[in-house]
Amino acid sequence: RHFKPLMIHCEFPPERSYTPPPLTQHRVFSRASDPSSDAAERPTPAALLPIPLSEKIPKPRGEVSRISRGGYNLQEALGWPASEYEETRAFVSQLAREYLKVNKSWRLQAQPKVALVYAEAQKRYPILERYDGGWVVGDMLRIFLKNSCSR
């Protein structure tokens, strides 16, 4: 037995063009209507001001990467997005290869060279100045040197 294919013919009305409403977060305001357009009157953003030592972020308790002994995971302690953490870590590692002896431990490094790595890292990433004593750079260096020295 053979059945003829069923065919249905449908016609749809032409589509209407749809214009989404403007998003307020993407609205551009002109400088002429902005009363605080004078650069002299504008306050400096808080992120650009130097942070007093008492307000700097202290180093967590314990030793970096020694979680089983009461230490901490650096990436979790910072709470940065993974891409920012990885970019900063890669730059600090590059500075370590450039200025330090990667086959020697942290304690055997020349302190002027270590200070140079700290300064270069803070110059490139000003957020590192928010951390008391630059402990983030020190921890990144300790992890890098521990891994490269043990190879």
Side-chain angles (χ1 to χ4, degrees), residues 73-124:
N73 177 298
L74 180 60
Q75 188 172 2
E76 289 174 8
L78 293 173
W80 294 353
S83 60
E84 289 181 26
Y85 173 81
E86 193 55 38
E87 180 184 334
T88 308
R89 186 203 58 78
F91 183 71
V92 170
S93 298
Q94 175 192 340
L95 290 174
R97 281 188 209 91
E98 192 175 327
Y99 294 109
L100 305 177
K101 296 179 180 179
V102 295
N103 59 344
K104 298 200 183 242
S105 69
W106 170 258
R107 281 186 268 141
L108 299 175
Q109 298 295 329
Q111 288 309 305
K113 299 260 184 175
V114 171
L116 185 60
V117 171
Y118 273 76
E120 289 290 320
Q122 287 180 347
K123 184 168 39 168
R124 173 91 176 255

Side-chain angles (χ1 to χ4, degrees), residues 11-150:
E11 286 188 36
F12 296 98
E15 289 186 14
R16 227 175 5 142
S17 65
Y18 174 72
T19 309
L23 298 175
T24 55
Q25 53 277 59
H26 295 289
R27 184 161 295 173
V28 178
F29 297 96
S30 68
R31 283 176 118 354
S33 65
D34 186 12
S36 64
S37 63
D38 224 24
E41 294 175 13
R42 260 191 235 154
T44 306
L48 299 177
L49 293 173
I51 299 172
L53 186 60
S54 62
E55 293 180 25
K56 290 195 175 190
I57 301 168
K59 187 177 191 300
R61 289 182 166 260
E63 191 177 343
V64 68
S65 299
R66 295 276 177 119
I67 299 165
S68 62
R69 297 181 188 164
Y72 59 94
N73 177 298
L74 180 60
Q75 188 172 2
E76 289 174 8
L78 293 173
W80 294 353
S83 60
E84 289 181 26
Y85 173 81
E86 193 55 38
E87 180 184 334
T88 308
R89 186 203 58 78
F91 183 71
V92 170
S93 298
Q94 175 192 340
L95 290 174
R97 281 188 209 91
E98 192 175 327
Y99 294 109
L100 305 177
K101 296 179 180 179
V102 295
N103 59 344
K104 298 200 183 242
S105 69
W106 170 258
R107 281 186 268 141
L108 299 175
Q109 298 295 329
Q111 288 309 305
K113 299 260 184 175
V114 171
L116 185 60
V117 171
Y118 273 76
E120 289 290 320
Q122 287 180 347
K123 184 168 39 168
R124 173 91 176 255
Y125 299 102
I127 192 170
L128 295 172
E129 294 176 15
R130 293 178 166 258
Y131 297 90
D132 190 23
W135 62 267
V136 175
V137 177
D139 284 355
M140 287 180 176
L141 285 173
R142 280 182 181 87
I143 294 169
F144 175 76
L145 291 171
K146 179 182 173 191
N147 292 337
S148 65
C149 187
S150 64

